[in-house]
Every structure is written in structure tokens, then in C-alpha cells.
Amino acid sequence: MTGTLEILAAGPMMTVQDRGRTGFLRFGVSASGPMDGAAFAAANALVGNAPGAAALEFALTGGRFRASRDVLVALTGGEMRAEAGGRPLAPWSSARLRAGEELTVGALRGAVWGYLAVSGGIETPLVMGARATHLRSAIGGHEGRALRPGDTLPLGPEPGALPRRLTRPLRPRHGPIRVVLGPQDDAFAPEILARFLGAPYAVSAQRDRMAMLLEGPALPAARGHDITSDGTLMGSVQVPPSGRPIVLMADRQTTGGFPKIATVITPDLGRLAQIPTGAMLRFHALSVEAAEAEARAAARQSAEALADLAPTGA
């Protein structure tokens, strides 16, 4: 162990996350990983970590932290006030935190999920090949749970990067949430599909790392809402008997027995996760081919942004 990060105060649902565990869906273990993959990747890039290094994810409010060695720290996800050793730290940039100094992270503005990356990454034990925390099953991270004051996390070797800042947008900030219809869109009448794509929906307060419940026009299924359970994805839009759509997220169950009217495309998952409670959204349908093209374009935009980081001189 080459250093530690101590949690002095922790915001809601603060967990250790990496890119998630793969290959275990058939055993009922979802991937977990970040709610906003692009913001997570940016935080790691800003401190010189490998893309899949473990970092901290938090909801709405950050907390206070202290490192036992000199490190770089970076905050992403949204706008927030932060100080590293009493010095202002702008979001979407990295700065030095000296051994024993405190990092203070305030509330997010216009976003829900924030990320704190520390140079060297968080090196909690691997569980099924990953460090990602799945809260409902108490797998991974730090004892499989949300972090709390007094927790101490091991850090990996220092990569020796310099402080940098993001200079290009990672993705578009506005626009409808794009989906591919299905796999059970045939369970809904044409007028219900038109309602789903034409009406605004509000993000309700019933949301966590597992799912987001939306408020808006009901979506009754023509033949009822019970189907033979099948696999789910992050972004599956499931419609239970209430008719209120639920978007499944990172800690979702691996199978579901309600029809899935649509699936959010990968490039829009992070933007959807960051929509504040009470805000409105609309859906827009794409073909599979168009969705794949958008995914490739989004990957290029993100890679170009992370390749063009500028030094801060901090």
C-alpha cells in the first residue's frame, strides 16, 4: 500500500466505482460501474490514471477527504465548489493535494452524480475482477457499502502526472434522450408508442443507482405487463403495471418481467443520469444503425477531449 485516502465526511451514496465487472450477468450480478461513464473517464484522465482505475462516485454532495501522500485530485460530473488545501479547485480540472491537507467538495449544481479521482486510483480488493460497488448485494468497493466518515481507502502507485484541465466538451449538453425501440415495443399499441415519443416526462425523486422512475403519461401495454423474464441493460425502459416508465441503471437487476418499450443509447446514458430531479425530458427514437453511428461519434468526441487536456500550472 503506497498511500491512503481518508474519508472525513461523505455525501449520499458515495461509493468506490471502476468501469464495472463483466461476465457475471448469467449469475445475477450486474456490472455496476459509474452512472456517468464519460465524467468518470474524464476524472481519471485528469490525474493520469488508467481509464478503468477506481474512483469515488457521489450523489448531489461531495464531502471532505485527506490523503496520506501528495496526490493529484480531480472532480467531474457537474459544477461544484471545492478547495484543495484551502485553494480553490475548479471542476473538470486537477490540482495537487499535499499530504495531510484536506479536500472539501460542496454540492453539485445542475447535475446529480459527481466523481473524485485520485492519482494512483483507489485499490480496494478486486471482487469478481472489479472494484465497483454494488450496494444492494454488498459486493465490491469498500466492504460492499456506501462510504462513511472514518473509512480509509488504499491508493495505487503514483503515475506522476501534472495538473491539467478539460478544454473541449465531452458530449452535447442538451437535446432529447435517444432510444432504440424495443425489445418489447410490439407490446404497445401505435398510439402508446407515439405517446412515449411525443410527451414530456419528469424525473421523479424515486431514483438511485438501480433505476429512475419517470412521471408522465401512462403507457399501458396491449396484452398486460407480465412477460417471461429476460435480460436487461443499463438504459432499458421498463413499463410495470402502473404504466409509469422506469429506466434501469448501473445497479439494475439482470432480468426483468415487465415489457421494455425502448433502450436508451449508450452515448445518452450519462446525460440521462445527470438530469436533476423534477426536470423534464423527451425521448427520440433512432434505428439500430443510427444508434451505432452515434455511439462511434460519441466515443471519438470523448477520446479527442481527453487527448487535448491543457496544463493548469497548479
Side-chain angles (χ1 to χ4, degrees):
M1 187 167 64
T2 60
T4 59
L5 181 72
E6 182 183 0
I7 312 299
L8 304 176
M13 282 188 282
M14 180 174 287
T15 58
V16 176
Q17 297 294 338
D18 59 12
R19 287 194 292 192
R21 55 185 51 82
T22 58
F24 296 94
L25 292 178
R26 65 189 183 277
F27 302 117
V29 180
S30 58
S32 299
M35 294 285 280
D36 183 348
F40 169 84
N44 270 323
L46 286 164
V47 299
N49 288 345
L56 300 187
E57 178 184 85
F58 58 88
L60 302 176
T61 302
R64 292 189 299 114
F65 314 85
R66 182 167 53 218
S68 67
R69 72 170 194 224
D70 291 1
V71 293
L72 283 184
V73 292
L75 294 164
T76 63
E79 297 300 310
M80 68 197 92
R81 292 186 63 180
E83 291 185 347
R87 303 173 298 276
L89 170 58
W92 306 99
S93 68
S94 57
R96 296 194 185 280
L97 183 70
R98 303 296 181 186
E101 290 184 335
E102 288 191 15
L103 170 66
T104 303
V105 183
L108 287 162
R109 299 191 299 274
V112 178
W113 301 97
Y115 296 89
L116 165 60
V118 181
S119 54
I122 307 295
E123 291 210 337
T124 51
L126 293 168
V127 178
M128 289 181 277
R131 296 184 168 93
T133 308
H134 188 282
L135 288 172
R136 290 176 181 264
S137 56
I139 290 174
H142 182 71
E143 301 175 354
R145 59 170 171 80
L147 298 172
R148 53 186 181 233
D151 288 339
T152 300
L153 306 174
L155 300 176
E158 176 63 44
L162 297 174
R164 295 180 290 178
R165 60 183 174 85
L166 196 69
T167 61
R168 299 190 191 187
L170 286 172
R171 61 181 172 225
R173 291 185 172 86
H174 305 289
I177 299 299
R178 296 165 295 179
V179 299
V180 172
L181 291 177
Q184 286 95 31
D185 54 309
D186 59 352
F188 300 88
E191 62 269 21
I192 302 303
L193 291 174
R195 181 185 298 173
F196 170 68
L197 296 172
Y201 284 86
V203 178
S204 81
Q206 294 177 265
R207 63 187 302 180
D208 57 15
R209 281 184 47 82
M210 187 172 182
M212 299 171 61
L213 177 64
L214 305 181
E215 301 279 4
L219 303 171
R223 299 184 297 275
H225 289 262
D226 291 323
I227 65 169
T228 301
S229 292
D230 63 0
T232 66
L233 298 170
M234 184 175 179
S236 292
V237 185
Q238 190 170 253
V239 186
S242 67
R244 298 164 66 191
I246 299 171
V247 187
L248 304 183
M249 302 302 284
D251 281 1
R252 71 198 180 279
Q253 72 275 18
T254 57
T255 61
F258 300 133
K260 293 170 285 296
I261 194 170
T263 305
V264 178
I265 70 170
T266 300
D268 285 2
L269 287 172
R271 187 160 59 88
L272 171 64
Q274 295 288 17
I275 295 176
T277 297
M280 306 298 291
L281 62 88
R282 290 179 181 270
F283 293 105
H284 175 73
L286 297 179
S287 67
V288 171
E289 293 77 16
E292 290 173 342
E294 291 294 332
R296 290 191 293 270
R300 285 194 300 271
Q301 180 176 353
S302 179
E304 289 168 359
L306 299 186
D308 195 31
L309 301 175
T312 65

